[in-house]
Amino acid sequence: QMCIRDSCQDFKEKGQVVQLKGHKQCITALDFTYDGKQVITVGKDAAILRWDIETQKKVVLNHGYEKDKFGHKASILCMDINYDGSLMLTAGKDRLIKLWDLKSDKTIFTFKGHRGPITGIKFKQNSNEFCSISNDRTFKLWDANEKAYIDTYFGHSEEINQIDSLADDQMITCGFDKKVIVWKIKDESQLVYSGHDYSIDNIKALAPSMFISGSQDGSVSLWGLGKKKPVYSLETVSYTHLTLPTIYSVQISVVAVSLKKK
């Protein structure tokens, strides 16, 4: 089950909430289509569903690993849509990355290379090159246009949990090793940040030089590229009910005034 609340002012006053049901197991990731009128969801049932927000009708791109031989063979853990809305990536426990054509809703290629479940995947900004992270502790770079593997990078000492795009050639990741890494892909270098006491489960870019992280220690931290420690932190967040995209899209003003300076 998924709930969508419209963030426009008219709907905020009305409190309109749309509930969409269709997955047989929990939803693990979602993203809006390029025009913002539809949302695509993936889940532990390995199903991929496209929803029309206005009509609430769904289209099944993939029925799940028990019914569809062309999709994933195990739970889907992550997804991403490219800059112009034409391509989508999905990945998960089967260690495969599926490339989808969103005009035909068909798979067009499968990337292989990770040795553990893939926990995050992200297109570069304004590009069809993309990066993936995994429980195998690696950060990999691929090219969707050429359908090719490019390189593997190392930096995390434990499983990597989340990835986001910070700038054209910069990605950020976080993991069980309590580290945030900024990957400067073009320069083949990295910046390492620390400040949480437990695993960092979520990370979200706010600007090319600013990002926010959420940890199992119950804290949310705001970071700037110029400092290796958090600029501000909120220490009493119940992380079990927290998703950073929610903070970014709906509650960032609340977080900005609530954080205390380190």
Side-chain angles (χ1 to χ4, degrees):
Q1 177 177 335
M2 171 181 57
C3 295
I4 299 176
R5 180 165 183 166
D6 198 305
S7 60
C8 297
Q9 187 61 38
D10 291 342
F11 287 102
K12 276 186 176 180
E13 295 174 356
K14 298 176 182 178
Q16 180 170 334
V17 176
V18 176
Q19 291 188 354
L20 306 174
K21 299 180 180 180
H23 284 277
K24 294 182 178 179
Q25 297 183 41
C26 69
I27 297 170
T28 53
L30 60 85
D31 202 356
F32 285 89
T33 54
Y34 184 72
D35 59 9
K37 296 180 180 180
Q38 297 179 321
V39 63
I40 298 177
T41 58
V42 300
K44 287 190 174 181
D45 54 5
I48 304 173
L49 306 179
R50 181 203 294 265
W51 308 82
D52 186 292
I53 298 172
E54 183 176 353
T55 65
Q56 301 182 34
K57 293 182 179 179
K58 70 174 183 285
V59 174
V60 179
L61 277 68
N62 192 76
H63 290 276
Y65 54 82
E66 294 180 354
K67 297 182 179 180
D68 199 322
K69 63 181 180 179
F70 298 106
H72 288 275
K73 307 305 179 186
S75 299
I76 303 175
L77 302 178
C78 51
M79 64 166 292
D80 194 37
I81 297 174
N82 74 335
Y83 70 99
D84 65 3
S86 62
L87 299 174
M88 179 178 69
L89 297 165
T90 57
K93 285 190 173 181
D94 59 5
R95 301 175 289 179
L96 302 176
I97 300 170
K98 298 280 185 178
L99 178 64
W100 299 77
D101 181 343
L102 288 183
K103 293 180 180 179
S104 65
D105 290 341
K106 303 294 184 182
T107 54
I108 53 179
F109 195 74
T110 299
F111 298 88
K112 300 178 181 180
H114 279 291
R115 297 183 177 182
I118 300 169
T119 52
I121 199 158
K122 195 71 179 178
F123 278 105
K124 293 168 64 177
Q125 296 179 13
N126 303 310
S127 171
N128 284 331
E129 289 187 355
F130 65 92
C131 301
S132 60
I133 57 172
S134 169
N135 285 353
D136 63 14
R137 307 175 188 177
T138 63
F139 174 100
K140 292 183 183 290
L141 179 62
W142 315 78
D143 190 323
N145 288 339
E146 300 297 327
K147 301 178 179 61
Y149 159 80
I150 298 176
D151 209 346
T152 297
Y153 304 92
F154 300 90
H156 284 282
S157 58
E158 295 187 50
E159 297 173 0
I160 313 175
N161 292 328
Q162 189 62 273
I163 184 172
D164 199 14
S165 176
L166 192 62
D168 286 346
D169 274 303
Q170 294 184 5
M171 292 280 180
I172 47 175
T173 59
C174 61
F176 274 97
D177 55 7
K178 300 175 284 188
K179 292 192 297 187
V180 172
I181 296 181
V182 175
W183 305 82
K184 296 185 176 182
I185 299 171
K186 186 176 181 180
D187 299 333
E188 296 188 350
S189 63
Q190 56 187 238
L191 300 173
V192 181
Y193 299 81
S194 60
H196 289 286
D197 295 328
Y198 293 90
S199 169
I200 304 175
D201 289 351
N202 289 286
I203 198 155
K204 181 70 179 179
L206 303 180
S209 61
M210 184 176 295
F211 55 93
I212 191 169
S213 62
S215 169
Q216 287 187 16
D217 60 16
S219 67
V220 175
S221 293
L222 180 68
W223 308 73
L225 287 185
K227 293 187 177 182
K228 291 299 184 72
K229 295 293 182 180
V231 178
Y232 297 95
S233 286
L234 179 64
E235 305 290 351
T236 56
V237 174
S238 175
Y239 69 88
T240 55
H241 301 292
L242 175 70
T243 60
L244 291 183
T246 301
I247 289 179
Y248 177 56
S249 61
V250 207
Q251 302 175 14
I252 190 62
S253 60
V254 176
V255 173
V257 299
S258 300
L259 295 175
K260 64 179 183 179
K261 192 172 183 179
K262 277 278 187 180

